[in-house]
Amino acid sequence: MIEKRVHGKLIKPYEVNADASGKVLENIKAALKKANLKDGMTISFHHHFREGDYVINLVMDEIAKMGIKNLVLFPSSLGKVHETLIEHIKSGVISEIHTSGLRGPLAEFISDGNMSKPITIRSHGGRARAIEAGEIKIDIAFLAVPRTDCMGNASGNGSKTQCGSLGYAIVDSKHADQVVLITDDLCDYPNMPRSIVQDNVDMVVVLDAIGDPEGIASGATRYTKNPKELKIAELASKVITSLEYYKDGFSFQTGSGGASLAVTRFLKDQMIKDGIKASFALGGITKPMVDLLEEGYVDCLFDVQSFDLTSTASMYRNERHYEISASEYANPSNKGCMASMLDYVILSALEIDKDFNVNVMTGSDGVIMGASGGHCDTAASAKVTIIVAPLYRGRLATVVDRVTTIITPGDSIDVLVTERGIAINPLRTDLVEKLKKANLPVVEMHELVALAKSIIGEPQPIEFDDMIVANVEYRDGSIIDSIRKRK
Amino acid sequence: MIEKRVHGKLIKPYEVNADASGKVLENIKAALKKANLKDGMTISFHHHFREGDYVINLVMDEIAKMGIKNLVLFPSSLGKVHETLIEHIKSGVISEIHTSGLRGPLAEFISDGNMSKPITIRSHGGRARAIEAGEIKIDIAFLAVPRTDCMGNASGNGSKTQCGSLGYAIVDSKHADQVVLITDDLCDYPNMPRSIVQDNVDMVVVLDAIGDPEGIASGATRYTKNPKELKIAELASKVITSLEYYKDGFSFQTGSGGASLAVTRFLKDQMIKDGIKASFALGGITKPMVDLLEEGYVDCLFDVQSFDLTSTASMYRNERHYEISASEYANPSNKGCMASMLDYVILSALEIDKDFNVNVMTGSDGVIMGASGGHCDTAASAKVTIIVAPLYRGRLATVVDRVTTIITPGDSIDVLVTERGIAINPLRTDLVEKLKKANLPVVEMHELVALAKSIIGEPQPIEFDDMIVANVEYRDGSIIDSIRKRK
């Protein structure tokens, strides 16, 4: 028996017969057989384990051994750790992929046109929408869970692995035809509190290890010391505090990039000075947000994904740190997602163009290297959407004439904060006067584009083939852009 | 701003614009218009407010004024307070009723054959099943909620009313085409923790009062002092502790009847002596279960309905007191409800017959006066199902040749405990030796039937008309019995 702490209290669970439910199986192969996996089916996974995930590779290897072909792979996202999927694409086990992100060798393989069918990129809200709308029918969901009981009450708080929120997995568990949990910590019944509920679970597979803790939560989040990023963060914080939405009970989301994270630090200093407290912080949760919660500067956290060890631990310690599903987070077609209540969102960009379109997906060489994530969801929803980005990175301009790939359309973006000035979307003329009054360095977007060119020079255009390797689906299901094979 | 306590901590919410969501409406009429209610639609309600409910009557009165006809009324249950529905049946506003329970003048009115279409009686698990299976499509759910924010994050913990768990309402909120919350406590966003989630909610109507606190939670639950009931409870407790399922980590559910409640007291005394603790208690939660939780004799409570002030308050104070939906509780067709993990359930009976069939619905005069509730759900699920009932009540036998109405089939019942002995279902011969060894007064069922007859005399058969006034649906959707018009 394993002792657990829930909200600081020591909980002693009780022994039950692990197979009382009939759901517990000893390996993935048994689950594949019981689920009757067939050629052409759609199978889903989640990415809460990030670069520490063992499960996608383990399941796909087992499927390959069984000789199953033409599967549609529908994870919430993919990482570098999933490089081994290349072999399964080559051998025809996987014929179609839908994902939010793609990185590393697998991303290069796909960017090079090695799949006959283009992959589909979706935002987190868009994925939940597609599932709930029935556009994607998941035949079998294979969901890695750090702890579960024999009936399938599962949580992100295991004895071997911890991932905090299981927000993406919750959606799959509710809508997949069959749900297979994969764990390395089968605990006594009942496992409470739980993220995934037993009445949605068909099977529980118990393995020795489902993930690498190092890769799942990458230790403590450290603040950037990059002076450029700090300057951008400070300016972004001033944008927030200069607008009328900044008042007791305001809400915000920040990304997990360096400048984004640093915004919270500057913001907090100002909140202390002004005696202002926030109602909620949303999204991927990081240590700076947990600090705000624990110090009383934000009333509650809504967590679709816990990014670091602090946020993972906080979800089980702090009453007011709430797990939410990806649909609750950002699905544009339910009856009101939490993103729709955001006052501010601070987001990063690989590229932003003169029309404020943002690219967070493809690199300057045209290769897929990022993730759509909740970018377009929160940008469309928040009252004020702020992009924090340096004018250029190394020898590459960030502020450009035209982004390589549109993930978030320009009309969702209100403000761009760079180290060389703040550009305001002409659609938000209401903000111009306010920010100028606040003595913030407001400049025109075309000036930033020109400034970047003057420093970096005119970029070499990327050469693409005609072949489409990826379609980018906007949160509402429309195709907003395509990514072509690089030459 | 209203201060709230969550798990003992004082939470200060923040002001938001109440109509930021566009969901908030000032009266029921506005919601009916916006929802476009039409003749013949199916509308649902919950019964967490029990005899303190104002909402069903308020909504139906407003609907009647609009001239809408032929509605299908689909509440989770009805009580004496809903007598006014008689007028709406007479005038054709309501043409069909589905419910778990029915009492008072409305029950008499229906028993007397005043509806042209028979009503349908469902168990709590069966109702959740029928909704999730799509057998019943709810067009509009009108859900009374003690507190909600403008987006529809709603809880049973309001400033004017408290009802604890909203377990029945949760199912409706997830499956109804349109969901209208009706509250008398609109609080600042976000209302956390919440039972009903904003992404399922279309509208929020704010009224001055939605229920009578006196009728919602009937004060403290008092133990019976009736010697017959105490004797039955003590025997039932001995049945539990004499069987092998009684060990660390066992689970149980008790009804809210006098003998049922008293079982918990005797059981607790024995658990203390034996040093045995339970893993969970399930179902309608009452003070004795909360006491067990708070004193450490049960690890957690799963609450589909909070019956008294103690249990209502406990859900917001005790970490390990968990709300569950009616589907999680007892739906036989999901992938594993919590009832399926029960070791023991202790249930009451209006009548039980020689084949162990149980009636909890109709009185000795043939009139509907009870509720199906979770009776057949938990009886079918638990490893040991114990009926606690006196041999007779007043001048009426409880143990009879043939029950007036079958709610729970005899093959679900394992043991009957009366003040005159314990009868064991012949299907459970394994129990006979064990209970005899424990020196418990095991008798044959036919002996108890004969004994009841010898005391009470042969009962007068009830005279029924041919007309069917109610069909009893078993939890799997089959019709297990019908109730006829009394002559």
Side-chain angles (χ1 to χ4, degrees), chain A residues 366-394:
Chain A
V367 174
I368 299 171
M369 59 168 284
S372 171
H375 202 286
C376 71
D377 296 310
T378 53
S381 303
K383 291 193 184 71
V384 182
T385 297
I386 301 167
I387 300 293
V388 287
L391 203 60
Y392 55 92
R393 294 180 175 96

Side-chain angles (χ1 to χ4, degrees), chain A residues 19-35:
Chain A
D19 58 4
S21 64
K23 294 184 182 182
V24 179
L25 301 169
E26 73 229 27
N27 58 43
I28 292 166
K29 191 176 177 184
L32 294 171
K33 283 192 175 173
K34 194 172 172 192

Side-chain angles (χ1 to χ4, degrees), chain A residues 6-7 9 11-12 14 23 150-151 176-179 189-190 192-194 197-202 248-249 277-280 299-300 302 319-320 322 328 334-338 340-341, chain B residues 6-7 9 11-12 14 23 150-151 176-179 189-190 192-194 197-202 248-249 277-280 299-300 302 319-320 322 328 334-338 340-341:
Chain A
V6 178
H7 293 150
K9 277 191 258 176
I11 301 298
K12 186 170 166 271
Y14 298 90
K23 294 184 182 182
C150 62
M151 285 293 280
D177 262 4
Q178 295 186 77
V179 174
Y189 186 89
M192 298 294 289
R194 83 285 209 225
V197 181
Q198 65 177 49
D199 57 78
N200 289 317
V201 176
D202 295 89
D248 241 14
K277 295 181 181 182
S279 62
F280 71 91
D299 180 41
C300 58
F302 293 127
E319 300 288 348
R320 304 286 289 175
Y322 296 102
E328 287 172 64
N334 65 26
K335 294 173 178 177
C337 63
M338 295 196 131
S340 73
M341 294 301 280
Chain B
V6 177
H7 294 149
K9 277 191 256 174
I11 301 299
K12 186 171 165 271
Y14 297 90
K23 293 184 183 182
C150 62
M151 285 294 280
D177 262 4
Q178 295 187 78
V179 173
Y189 187 89
M192 298 294 289
R194 83 287 208 222
V197 180
Q198 65 177 49
D199 58 77
N200 290 317
V201 175
D202 296 89
D248 241 15
K277 295 180 182 185
S279 62
F280 71 91
D299 180 40
C300 58
F302 293 127
E319 299 289 347
R320 304 287 289 176
Y322 296 103
E328 288 172 65
N334 65 26
K335 294 172 178 179
C337 63
M338 296 197 130
S340 73
M341 295 299 281

Side-chain angles (χ1 to χ4, degrees), chain B residues 11 35 39 55 92 102 124 144 178 191 215-216 286 303 311 338 353 416 427 445 462 465 467:
Chain B
I11 301 299
D39 288 4
V55 165
L102 207 57
H124 293 326
Q178 295 187 78
N191 177 38
I216 295 173
T286 52
D303 187 343
S311 57
M338 296 197 130
D353 68 23
L416 165 66
L427 296 171
M445 191 59 162
I462 311 168
D465 196 291
M467 181 191 185

